Amino acid sequence: MSGTASTDRTAVPDADICIVGAGPAGALVADRLAADHEVVVLDAGPRFDPADRLERQERAIRPAYDRPDVWDSDPERDAHSASGEWFYPLNHARVKGVGGSTLHWQGMVMRLHEDDFASGTERGIGPDWPIDYADLRPHYAAAERELGVAGADDNPDAPPRDEPFPMPAFPPSYSDGLFAEACEALEVDMHSVPNARNSEAYDGRSACVGYGTCQPVCPAGAKYDATVHIERAESKGATVIDRAPVQRLEHDADRVRAAVYAIPDGTEHRQTADAFVVACGGVETPRLLLLSESEHYPDGLANSSGLVGRYFMDHLFAGTGGVLGEPTRQNHVGFLTSESHAFYDDADEELAPFKLEFFNYDGPSPVETALSADTWGDDLLEQLREDYGTHIGMGALVEQLPREDSYIGLDPDRTDDHDNPVPDVHWNVGDRALRTIERANEVQEAILSELGAEITWQVGPDDTGPAYHHMGTTRMGTDPGASVVDPHLRTHDLGNCWLVTSGAFPTGGAANPTLTIAALALRAAEDVRDAI
């Protein structure tokens, strides 16, 4: 169900800045610039009514619904292909609508490590970023304030910081305490997880009330999502047009002139502006550039390097879990409260950086078991008591190196609801990441064995999958022949177009990317302001 967005979807005259995408990057840029400029934000999806979130929560826990159903994924609008070596379930990874994928993300927000910005120099493999941690450090702090991050300076392996987190960290869970004993015996440091959710009232939003369904829906609004900054930008005068998928960017040799977008009745409009910020993620951003080919750019807009869509990366998942002969109190908290970066900076040519995650939600939840069970009454109660409460598990995020043969392209044989070629995800994974998954599994097995758990499941290199972090498709660099955008995310080819997404990442590290996206967006907003 869509919300109360205006049905007037005509273009705004005399716009200074047109932003494509109302996720966290576009929302932050809009908020930073709206007070002093005429800003228009175009988003392909609807504006969701906050009053519907309890209904979406109920939908999320019912086994009959798949994850894309929670936020009204449309099979025709969101059609895609996956022709790489590894299958990629794209629609499990995104929400089209105002707020973007922060509507269903888990909300973990940590900074990249210093060596992540200099992988080639420090680890002997992969490219260096054209900026370093010091360049982004003040923007990281600003991003933490904007999103509202609860955390503690207790990670001995984290990069340096100058100020406390905006809110105190969430306390360790019960099962974190079990893990802590095993980790202490093995000399593995555990620490809190920075979370973009309120541990106390913040920014007019309540503290977390413990619904436990953070991924894919937070009914309380305690978890940050980009509607916070969209609404703030609107209060400063920005115009937000939902259900307005941009079909192409009209341009000449060195400037974008208009974003051509469709509206629900099928008509098209042209939004002109002095500057354009494309912020529709690591898949749809390169797709839009490829759809905007012309005589000036026959291989796609801003693609003189030939690298638009190339170097698609994601984090890979490694996991191990089992059961204990005592209660572990899982599924009380729907997010992570403890992790470990103890092995992160051991990365080199052979092994990638990875971080360990200590789950609060391993094993079946009583609600899901009850809704899918074939039994009733006392038999069901016995099943619930038998299945619930003794599971324990760990995860890990592993860096994938950029590969030119891992990319986002266009499928010439399949089109969306506007007859445009759909994105084709060619996801390929290298041996370094797979070796690292084996190493992460070894560490997980050691911790669980020390804990006395019976290991019953494992996700290893043969059955790993993505963490749904789209990175690398519009690479940042100083050489126009080897990158798509400059260090401020302005395209090399067009003086008034910025691509503000995790597609700019030259490497991915092993940290969840949203805080870095937010920091880059705040930095790019300064460049846009200075340029117009």
Side-chain angles (χ1 to χ4, degrees), residues 342-426:
F343 304 93
Y344 197 119
D345 291 326
D346 293 342
D348 56 20
E349 294 182 53
E350 293 298 312
L351 292 177
F354 70 94
K355 70 181 181 75
L356 296 172
E357 302 172 336
F358 301 93
F359 288 167
N360 292 319
Y361 41 78
D362 194 61
S365 77
V367 173
E368 291 170 347
T369 298
L371 289 171
S372 59
D374 296 324
T375 54
W376 298 88
D378 291 342
D379 291 338
L380 174 58
L381 182 59
E382 182 179 351
Q383 181 183 345
L384 292 173
R385 287 171 172 166
E386 181 177 325
D387 289 348
Y388 173 69
T390 58
H391 294 264
I392 196 157
M394 296 179 63
L397 287 190
V398 174
E399 178 189 61
Q400 171 196 350
L401 282 172
R403 295 166 51 118
E404 194 167 351
D405 66 347
S406 186
Y407 64 95
I408 303 299
L410 300 178
D411 186 340
D413 300 318
R414 189 175 186 187
T415 57
D416 65 9
D417 54 343
H418 291 280
D419 294 326
N420 291 316
V422 303
D424 188 5
V425 183
H426 300 252

Side-chain angles (χ1 to χ4, degrees), residues 56 161 212 214 249 252 276 299 326 328 357 391-392 426 514 516:
R56 294 184 191 282
R161 54 185 303 118
C214 312
L249 297 174
D252 52 29
F276 291 81
D299 298 319
E326 61 178 291
T328 60
E357 302 172 336
H391 294 264
I392 196 157
H426 300 252
T514 302
T516 302

Side-chain angles (χ1 to χ4, degrees), residues 241-299:
I241 304 176
D242 72 338
R243 290 185 287 172
V246 175
Q247 307 297 292
R248 61 193 177 278
L249 297 174
E250 292 183 352
H251 57 275
D252 52 29
D254 57 4
R255 294 183 69 81
V256 175
R257 298 299 178 182
V260 179
Y261 63 95
I263 63 173
D265 67 7
T267 60
E268 290 187 350
H269 296 269
R270 294 176 73 256
Q271 180 60 63
T272 59
D274 297 325
F276 291 81
V277 174
V278 184
C280 44
V283 172
E284 292 296 335
T285 294
R287 180 197 182 207
L288 177 57
L289 297 175
L290 294 173
L291 289 173
S292 302
E293 63 178 345
S294 68
E295 61 179 17
H296 296 294
Y297 296 97
D299 298 319

Side-chain angles (χ1 to χ4, degrees), residues 118-343:
S119 183
T121 300
E122 300 298 331
R123 295 169 178 157
I125 193 167
D128 288 353
W129 289 47
I131 60 175
D132 59 22
Y133 176 74
D135 292 319
L136 215 52
R137 188 167 173 172
H139 303 287
Y140 270 135
E144 289 168 349
R145 292 191 298 271
E146 291 293 337
L147 272 58
V149 177
D153 193 8
D154 61 348
N155 178 356
D157 300 295
R161 54 185 303 118
D162 300 315
E163 62 294 294
F165 286 92
M167 287 173 282
F170 284 88
S173 68
Y174 180 83
S175 59
D176 286 343
L178 300 176
F179 277 119
E181 296 179 13
C183 286
E184 183 177 6
L186 296 172
E187 298 183 337
V188 175
D189 290 318
M190 284 181 67
H191 49 81
S192 62
V193 180
N195 273 280
R197 58 174 49 78
N198 295 349
S199 59
E200 58 190 23
Y202 183 86
D203 197 24
R205 296 178 287 125
S206 74
C208 174
V209 294
Y211 277 111
T213 58
C214 312
Q215 193 179 30
V217 58
C218 170
K223 181 185 71 174
Y224 171 82
D225 68 66
T227 62
V228 168
H229 283 95
I230 285 294
E231 291 170 3
R232 193 178 298 170
E234 287 179 301
S235 72
K236 298 174 181 176
T239 300
V240 178
I241 304 176
D242 72 338
R243 290 185 287 172
V246 175
Q247 307 297 292
R248 61 193 177 278
L249 297 174
E250 292 183 352
H251 57 275
D252 52 29
D254 57 4
R255 294 183 69 81
V256 175
R257 298 299 178 182
V260 179
Y261 63 95
I263 63 173
D265 67 7
T267 60
E268 290 187 350
H269 296 269
R270 294 176 73 256
Q271 180 60 63
T272 59
D274 297 325
F276 291 81
V277 174
V278 184
C280 44
V283 172
E284 292 296 335
T285 294
R287 180 197 182 207
L288 177 57
L289 297 175
L290 294 173
L291 289 173
S292 302
E293 63 178 345
S294 68
E295 61 179 17
H296 296 294
Y297 296 97
D299 298 319
L301 184 60
N303 197 24
S304 63
S305 65
L307 296 180
V308 166
R310 297 286 169 176
Y311 300 115
F312 174 70
M313 300 176 287
D314 204 321
H315 292 123
L316 293 154
F317 176 77
T320 307
V323 293
L324 277 178
E326 61 178 291
T328 60
R329 301 184 187 175
Q330 297 290 278
N331 293 292
H332 289 210
V333 179
F335 54 93
L336 301 177
T337 43
S338 292
E339 63 179 9
S340 176
H341 289 203
F343 304 93

Side-chain angles (χ1 to χ4, degrees), residues 62-113:
R62 289 188 177 275
Y65 289 97
D66 198 6
R67 178 168 171 174
D69 297 327
V70 174
W71 292 101
D72 302 341
S73 179
D74 182 287
E76 188 177 4
R77 180 196 68 189
D78 303 337
H80 66 93
S81 299
S83 62
E85 293 178 10
W86 293 67
F87 176 69
Y88 200 91
L90 180 60
N91 285 340
H92 281 249
R94 59 180 181 171
V95 172
K96 284 193 177 180
V98 175
S101 292
T102 53
L103 293 169
H104 76 163
W105 68 321
Q106 195 169 40
M108 294 179 289
V109 281
M110 59 286 298
R111 303 179 182 193
L112 288 173
H113 286 214

Side-chain angles (χ1 to χ4, degrees), residues 2-21:
S2 299
T4 58
S6 170
T7 56
D8 180 6
R9 294 186 172 86
T10 57
V12 175
D14 301 320
D16 298 315
I17 302 157
C18 175
I19 299 172
V20 183

